[in-house]
Amino acid sequence: MTDRPTIPPIGRDEFRAAMARIATAVSVITTDGPEGRHGMTASAVASVSDEPATILACIHRSTLMNSRLKSNGVMCVNVLSDRHDALSRLFANAGSTLDERFASSAWDMLATGAPVMQDAAIALDCEIVEVAEVATHSVFFGELRALRLAESASPLLYYNRGFHSIGTGILSED
């Protein structure tokens, strides 16, 4: 076995600049249960497996959402369409109340009891089956218990620190 030189880690700013150049769908993740309802905007969501249908969401450990997801054991990933720019900002704003956030859209439930946006492009209603702690975040693995697809919707994308639409280009920048 050969000795490998120590490779220094990439710096935080350089890493963040690189990640900003990966286009991702924007979602509002919601939960409800014994610890109460909560919701936040997120882009760190991905498919894990199709059998069983499983997704993951990465949530910073310091957030209230992190503890609510762990206590409630359910989440709905509401994938936003390009007309939800303002709603995504509202759910990302730490200064907005939960009442303000949830009053901004119509909600119902599917299987788990987590709030589901009636006009989400995609709603992925999940039971949290595993949580992995990695660095500053918890990775929540959710098995789908129900889903709903909109008839047609152009997704809201986050790219290079701005919101974009496939059809119309840039919507706004941070």
Side-chain angles (χ1 to χ4, degrees):
M1 183 181 243
T2 59
D3 290 328
R4 299 182 100 185
T6 302
I7 302 170
I10 297 295
R12 180 178 189 259
D13 292 341
E14 188 178 12
F15 176 74
R16 289 174 65 98
M19 292 299 99
R21 294 186 182 166
I22 298 174
T24 60
V26 180
S27 300
V28 167
I29 299 176
T30 57
T31 189
D32 202 353
E35 292 299 314
R37 180 174 68 166
H38 200 63
M40 65 171 277
T41 301
S43 60
V45 175
S47 168
V48 174
S49 175
D50 63 357
E51 198 171 304
T54 305
I55 62 172
L56 66 78
C58 302
I59 308 293
H60 200 285
R61 285 192 214 174
S62 68
T63 64
L64 179 58
M65 185 62 162
N66 189 296
S67 62
R68 293 266 169 101
L69 287 171
K70 287 176 179 171
S71 297
N72 291 341
V74 298
M75 68 180 173
C76 185
V77 175
N78 297 279
V79 181
L80 304 182
S81 72
D82 59 5
R83 69 179 189 275
H84 293 126
D85 178 24
L87 182 127
S88 70
R89 291 178 184 284
L90 183 63
F91 272 83
N93 180 354
S96 66
T97 68
L98 286 177
D99 287 340
E100 291 170 330
R101 292 177 189 185
F102 284 99
S104 65
S105 189
W107 301 87
D108 57 25
M109 290 183 288
L110 294 176
T112 70
V116 177
M117 281 180 58
Q118 289 181 0
D119 64 344
I122 305 166
L124 305 168
D125 192 25
C126 303
E127 179 181 356
I128 297 168
V129 295
E130 188 174 340
V131 180
E133 304 299 333
V134 180
T136 57
H137 285 64
S138 298
V139 182
F140 292 87
F141 293 88
E143 285 186 11
L144 271 70
R145 299 299 181 236
L147 66 83
R148 183 167 57 208
L149 304 172
E151 286 293 319
S152 67
S154 183
L156 180 63
L157 301 176
Y158 191 70
Y159 172 74
N160 208 17
R161 296 186 174 90
F163 293 99
H164 299 262
S165 169
I166 290 174
T168 59
I170 192 161
L171 297 173
S172 63
E173 294 183 10
D174 282 348

